[in-house]
Amino acid sequence: MATQATRGEGRVSPVFLALVAIMAVSIWAVWTDYSASPGFAVFLFVVSAWIVSLCLHEYAHARTALHGGDITIGAKGYLTLNPLKYTHALLSIVLPVVFVIMGGIGLPGGAVFIERHRIRGRWKHSLISAAGPLTNLVFAAVVSAPFWLGALDGVPDNFRYALAFLALLEVTATILNLLPVPGLDGYGIIEPWLSPKVRRQVEPFAPFGLLAVFGFLWIPEVNHAFFDMIDAVLRRAGITEWDTYWGQELFRFWQGTPEIPPLNALDLG
């Protein structure tokens, strides 16, 4: 059985290339402090990079499914990295971006339709579900690399803060998406190993899993406990709460440019 996409089905979409171009220009603007509004440049960088990571997340699901046996993936356009090809662009792109703007939460989207009946083997089904959050984990490792490698000498402060905030989003997306909640990839990983009876009972709740997670995160006690855990993970990577706080403050450019104390006056430990 063929498990390769045709050249046209696997060609990278101009939409994705445009997103990468926006990300590159915004990186330059943040790095050089060229923009009249540093916060707007950070906003463009974080949002474009976040959408790029979401596209890669969905691509990982699709590519793994293709190799797992779903040969319809290519014809659906999922291998082009075009977010407009997703089954629910609202869930995959718009809602995650809105969540970032509203609360700085990297909630995952997810809307590539995989024909699971074409795939044989529970391990293949689990790997398809795991591929997305693993992509976010790799993205988080790359974004945070200057911190855990100690390679921040000469890096402009605003770029440092933007990277830190983006790393926070990627880490939250990874952890949230691995929760065993119906509708999220964490549940998709364990679902093949559940009995048919349990799967039938859980299935009606799948469309509401993401919204339920978002609702729980609005509970102050849950929110504080969750972000304490995220901060602990980021500290292991060398990213402090100072870094993520000012990254988010810059990101909210509509509130005005914040007055950030110089880094050389602080001991970030």
Side-chain angles (χ1 to χ4, degrees), residues 234-254:
L234 291 174
R235 280 197 300 272
R236 296 295 298 270
I239 300 173
T240 67
E241 292 181 51
W242 172 274
D243 295 317
T244 55
Y245 173 80
W246 288 117
Q248 186 169 7
E249 288 297 300
L250 282 165
F251 175 83
R252 294 171 171 167
F253 71 93
W254 54 89

Side-chain angles (χ1 to χ4, degrees), residues 69-95:
D70 184 357
I71 60 174
T72 69
I73 287 295
K76 293 169 183 169
Y78 297 156
L79 301 178
T80 67
L81 291 158
N82 183 353
L84 301 179
K85 293 291 186 180
Y86 299 150
T87 308
H88 301 293
L90 176 67
L91 287 177
S92 285
I93 301 298
V94 179
L95 277 182

